[in-house]
Each structure stands twice: as structure tokens, then as C-alpha cells.
Amino acid sequence: VDKVKEITENLNITQGKLVIGLDVLSRQENLQCVALVYNAILGDGANSMLFQNVREKASLAYTASSSYLRQKNNIIIRAGIEIDNFEKALNLIKEQLDDMKNSEFQEQEVENAKQLIISTVNGIPDSQDAEITYYFGQELAGKSTDIEQYVENIRKVQPKQINEVAKKIDINTIYFLRN
């Protein structure tokens, strides 16, 4: 991305919506599993960096999370913020991205992220819809990774791989919905 696209829209709302689009530009082996663990550390759940630092410690967001979109190789960060806190929240989120690039995460955070993902994946056979969705996604991607192999691939992710992927993640869009 040569230039980050910045979009601001106005609507009669009381809470601002900040959305940041990230490109995952790595070609690393096992990229999807590494990116999933990266995302879990960054913003998937109450133990994530975004939730802990942006929402809990700095009190700059009502919500702060991220999602990894495998098919597009993108990560979407979402935060519900007070409109006046836009710059502070944006800067703190960028700090979290820099911290990931600088490997400022603990081994325990990596293990917690893996366990979060593995527990979700292990629950797939408990729901017909989830199982159909999983195998349909595998078919669309031209892969045939069964659930046990997928879990094993998550377990193999190493902090060095996460750092390598983090260095290949760039912001492509900053969207802010305000009043």
C-alpha cells in the first residue's frame, strides 16, 4: 500500500466507529495459522492487546477487537469510541501493531492464543452448521485439511513466525464514522 486510504463519514450517532483495514502481505508457509494466532494476540478476545490496552487500561474504547479474513488475507480492527478520542485511540492501536512487529508479546500470550483457536476448532464437530462451513471453506480454498491436522498446524506456530508475519502487515484503510 503506497498510501493509506482515510475515510470519514458522518451520521447521527453518539458513539464513533473506527475500523482499520490491514493487509497481510506475507507468503510464509502455514500463513493462515500464523495469522490466526497473530490476530488472537492482537484483538480476538478479552486477553488480547487491543482489549487490554485500548479498552481496559486506556479506557479509549467501548469495544476493541480484530478479525482475520483468511480468504482475503486481511485483518479488520474495530473499535467503538468516543468521537473526541479518535486520534488517541488510533495512535494507541497503531502502537499495538508496532508492538507486534517488535515481538513485544509474551510466550504465554502465544500459548493462550493457540488455546483459544484450538478450543474453537475442536468445537466444530459439535455443530452441523459449523462442520459444513469448515469443510465447505476447505473445498473452496482447494485444501483438504481435517480438523486434527488443522489443530496440529496451530500448535506448531512459533513466536518467530508471528513476528515475521507482523512485519508484513500494513494498514490499508482507516475508516471513521462520526456524528
Side-chain angles (χ1 to χ4, degrees):
V1 176
D2 294 334
K3 187 172 191 275
V4 174
K5 187 175 186 178
E6 296 186 28
I7 302 164
T8 300
E9 291 185 332
N10 296 46
L11 191 64
N12 187 18
I13 57 172
T14 56
Q15 183 185 100
K17 312 294 187 229
L18 174 59
V19 179
I20 302 171
L22 308 172
D23 287 323
V24 182
L25 303 170
S26 177
R27 299 284 177 232
Q28 186 178 119
E29 184 180 338
N30 198 22
L31 174 62
Q32 289 188 347
C33 292
V34 177
L36 265 176
V37 176
Y38 169 95
N39 181 67
I41 295 168
L42 177 67
D44 190 9
N47 291 322
S48 70
M49 294 172 79
L50 291 174
F51 190 89
Q52 287 298 311
N53 296 318
V54 179
R55 182 183 186 274
E56 293 294 309
K57 291 179 185 169
S59 298
L60 290 174
Y62 303 104
T63 62
S65 64
S66 64
S67 303
Y68 174 55
L69 307 173
R70 287 183 285 237
Q71 295 78 6
K72 296 281 189 180
N73 240 8
N74 294 115
I75 293 175
I76 305 296
I77 296 173
R78 290 177 211 79
I81 62 173
E82 286 188 33
I83 293 162
D84 293 340
N85 287 337
F86 171 74
E87 288 297 328
K88 288 180 189 174
L90 178 60
N91 289 334
L92 189 53
I93 290 169
K94 286 179 177 179
E95 280 181 35
Q96 305 314 297
L97 296 171
D98 287 342
D99 286 351
M100 291 296 290
K101 288 180 182 181
N102 295 321
S103 292
E104 293 184 28
F105 50 86
Q106 306 297 318
E107 181 69 36
Q108 190 59 49
E109 290 174 290
V110 175
E111 290 308 311
N112 290 346
K114 288 181 190 181
Q115 287 307 311
L116 175 70
I117 296 164
I118 289 169
S119 121
T120 301
V121 171
N122 282 336
I124 289 172
D126 297 339
S127 163
Q128 287 180 340
D129 289 344
E131 197 165 18
I132 290 167
T133 300
Y134 174 80
Y135 286 109
F136 184 64
Q138 293 290 307
E139 187 69 29
L140 288 176
K143 298 181 179 184
S144 60
T145 307
D146 63 25
I147 291 172
E148 294 79 20
Q149 183 59 53
Y150 194 75
V151 166
E152 188 55 37
N153 291 344
I154 295 294
R155 284 191 175 115
K156 289 179 184 177
V157 173
Q158 297 299 311
K160 181 180 178 183
Q161 293 174 297
I162 297 166
N163 180 249
E164 289 170 9
V165 165
K167 290 177 180 176
K168 301 276 185 180
I169 292 178
D170 292 322
I171 296 174
N172 63 35
T173 306
I174 298 170
Y175 173 85
F176 187 47
L177 180 61
R178 57 169 300 139
N179 61 2

